[in-house]
Amino acid sequence: MKRSRSSKLPVNAATGSSIFSIPSCLLMEILSKLPMSTICNCRCVCSYFRNLISDPQFAQLHLSTSQPSLMFWDRRWDCIVHLIELIHPCLDPVGANNRYAPRILRFKPKCDVPTAELEVLSSCNGLICFYWPRTYNPYVICNPVINEHVIVPQMEKVFFDQCGSGFGFCSRTNQYKMLRLLSPSIGFGVPGLIKLEAEINTVGTNLWRRVGDAPRYLHWYSGGCFLNGSLHWIVHDTENCFESMCCFDFGKERFQPFPGPSQFRGLPGQLRVEMMKMGVLKDGLSVFHHPNCYMLDIWVMKDYAVRESWTKDFVIKLPWVATYFGYIYQPLMVLNNGVILMVYALSVLLSCNTMDNNSFRKFMVNGISSFARAMTYIPSFVSIKNAARGSYS
């Protein structure tokens, strides 16, 4: 007779106890400390573990301690998400043979739309937001770790073209939201007539609500940089030079000024926005600026929203010329040993050792031959379907 599989784990013969006797809150704490691959395996052990790891309380606990990883999006063949589970903070990432052999998790997002044409917009709390580059319709928000996704449909607006979008989270209401920027088709690009209307969608609804206007010359194609419940942008003047910064607060649902580096104030006409990008380094908002094609300045805001806390942490001489149209250097993360991992021309990984005269080396990962996008990513077990149903708490 064929034995049926039991959902229970073995009982300790000496004590008569099992793992089920451990309080669920304590077991969640233990599981949250394990590597991602181990937690994923634990989900397959039994229904009790699966339900425990699927609990929103566990997702929040794990997210609170989850460390940034590197994520690679490869859409050439199978549209695979490659996740480097751990970058050791004191690692020499390339070693003698210029290769790094980490533990890699691979996920294939299952969506109701073709994934081969999707582009990555951004990520938040382990959720990745994809969009169609031409129409922005629809948005696909997925968590590849637990293989969940939701689709956010667009609602067309007559005589308006979409020219930008952003994705973020409001911790006060536990809601994920999409922001889109619309420009009138008539008069687009004519000084004095440009007007960016902003609309927002709470994920799980089909309603797009008007939330005022965005700054006229918002550097919209950057997609915004999400941190502390807000998306951040650079605002430029009519000559595409840095003018100020602003943010969109997902809690207040409004745009507001944001303090940029005070050192930028006296340099009108010298800071081209196409040679700048924003990101998050060392848990702080950062600006990556190329003062010329051969140098990279990295500015980090040490205290959030405090103008005086902006500091130029790194001045780096570049191995290859930085050019326009996205072919610039973008740092991804800083390791404890002073090594900066960065991406060039969207698909070339480099390591820069700031403790060794800013020496550059190619950063090649065994098992990843090519990719369309590299970015920092915080893996999580957050359920986007629970969030869309309003049960994320």
Side-chain angles (χ1 to χ4, degrees):
M1 181 181 295
K2 193 174 182 180
R3 289 186 178 182
S4 62
R5 293 184 60 184
S6 173
S7 63
K8 292 186 177 181
L9 298 179
V11 176
N12 187 303
T15 64
S17 62
S18 75
I19 197 170
F20 298 110
S21 63
I22 301 176
S24 59
C25 58
L26 181 58
L27 192 53
M28 283 186 184
E29 186 80 31
I30 295 172
L31 290 172
S32 68
K33 307 297 183 184
L34 298 176
M36 279 292 297
S37 58
T38 305
I39 301 176
C40 290
N41 290 335
C42 286
R43 294 179 72 216
C44 303
V45 170
C46 63
S47 59
Y48 179 72
F49 272 14
R50 184 176 64 250
N51 294 336
L52 202 66
I53 294 171
S54 301
D55 192 302
Q57 183 179 345
F58 174 82
Q60 287 301 296
L61 181 63
H62 177 268
L63 183 63
S64 65
T65 59
S66 186
Q67 296 299 310
S69 303
L70 286 182
M71 188 272 283
F72 301 91
W73 167 243
D74 185 358
R75 57 190 175 94
R76 293 190 313 159
W77 308 109
D78 296 323
C79 302
I80 299 293
V81 172
H82 304 275
L83 177 63
I84 294 184
E85 184 172 5
L86 179 65
I87 294 287
H88 194 279
C90 295
L91 174 74
D92 177 4
V94 291
N97 60 354
N98 285 358
R99 287 189 176 274
Y100 174 48
R103 181 182 298 166
I104 300 176
L105 303 179
R106 290 180 172 85
F107 305 97
K108 188 181 189 315
K110 291 183 179 179
C111 301
D112 298 331
V113 297
T115 56
E117 298 181 29
L118 294 177
E119 298 281 358
V120 176
L121 176 65
S122 61
S123 69
C124 173
N125 292 350
L127 306 179
I128 305 174
C129 181
F130 298 95
Y131 72 102
W132 284 63
R134 295 179 181 86
T135 63
Y136 292 88
N137 189 15
Y139 295 104
V140 178
I141 303 172
C142 81
N143 186 336
V145 174
I146 60 177
N147 203 12
E148 282 190 0
H149 79 279
V150 297
I151 292 179
V152 180
Q154 286 274 31
M155 303 296 290
E156 293 187 7
K157 194 168 184 177
V158 181
F159 303 124
F160 279 84
D161 296 322
Q162 184 160 339
C163 55
S165 57
F167 172 59
F169 175 70
C170 175
S171 59
R172 181 173 55 83
T173 60
N174 283 327
Q175 292 176 324
Y176 289 89
K177 299 179 181 182
M178 289 296 314
L179 175 73
R180 69 176 184 178
L181 306 176
L182 304 168
S183 176
S185 304
I186 302 174
F188 177 74
V190 179
L193 294 181
I194 297 179
K195 179 182 178 182
L196 293 180
E197 290 191 4
E199 293 185 346
I200 200 166
N201 169 273
T202 299
V203 176
T205 71
N206 292 329
L207 177 65
W208 287 88
R209 297 176 285 109
R210 176 77 183 276
V211 287
D213 295 336
R216 178 175 296 178
Y217 296 112
L218 188 70
H219 193 202
W220 58 70
Y221 66 78
S222 67
C225 178
F226 182 78
L227 183 67
N228 284 359
S230 299
L231 282 172
H232 304 77
W233 284 274
I234 291 171
V235 180
H236 60 86
D237 58 19
T238 56
E239 303 298 325
N240 282 340
C241 292
F242 179 93
E243 184 174 81
S244 62
M245 294 177 66
C246 76
C247 70
F248 180 84
D249 188 309
F250 279 101
K252 300 176 182 177
E253 294 191 352
R254 71 183 185 194
F255 286 91
Q256 55 194 33
F258 190 83
S262 57
Q263 295 88 338
F264 285 8
R265 283 180 170 177
L267 301 173
Q270 299 182 37
L271 304 171
R272 304 288 301 178
V273 294
E274 60 264 35
M275 299 297 281
M276 306 174 75
K277 279 187 177 293
M278 296 186 69
V280 177
L281 281 185
K282 299 186 289 186
D283 298 322
L285 193 66
S286 304
V287 173
F288 317 129
H289 172 230
H290 294 76
N292 55 58
C293 292
Y294 305 94
M295 300 295 296
L296 172 65
D297 295 341
I298 300 179
W299 295 81
V300 179
M301 189 179 230
K302 302 301 175 63
D303 298 316
Y304 183 74
V306 178
R307 185 187 302 275
E308 293 72 22
S309 70
W310 281 104
T311 59
K312 189 192 293 187
D313 275 10
F314 304 98
V315 177
I316 301 172
K317 185 176 181 181
L318 303 173
W320 301 312
V321 172
T323 59
Y324 298 107
F325 306 112
Y327 288 88
I328 64 177
Y329 294 76
Q330 183 171 2
L332 298 174
M333 63 174 60
V334 182
L335 307 184
N336 289 354
N337 59 354
V339 171
I340 302 177
L341 303 182
M342 60 180 68
V343 63
Y344 171 72
L346 302 181
S347 59
V348 179
L349 279 177
L350 300 169
S351 69
C352 173
N353 192 337
T354 60
M355 307 300 290
D356 184 23
N357 199 28
N358 291 334
S359 59
F360 276 84
R361 302 173 75 178
K362 280 194 174 182
F363 175 60
M364 293 175 283
V365 181
N366 282 343
I368 300 178
S369 58
S370 64
F371 56 89
R373 176 77 182 272
M375 59 189 291
T376 53
Y377 173 74
I378 297 179
S380 79
F381 292 88
V382 170
S383 170
I384 182 60
K385 289 188 176 180
N386 283 348
R389 289 194 295 262
S391 56
Y392 180 86
S393 60

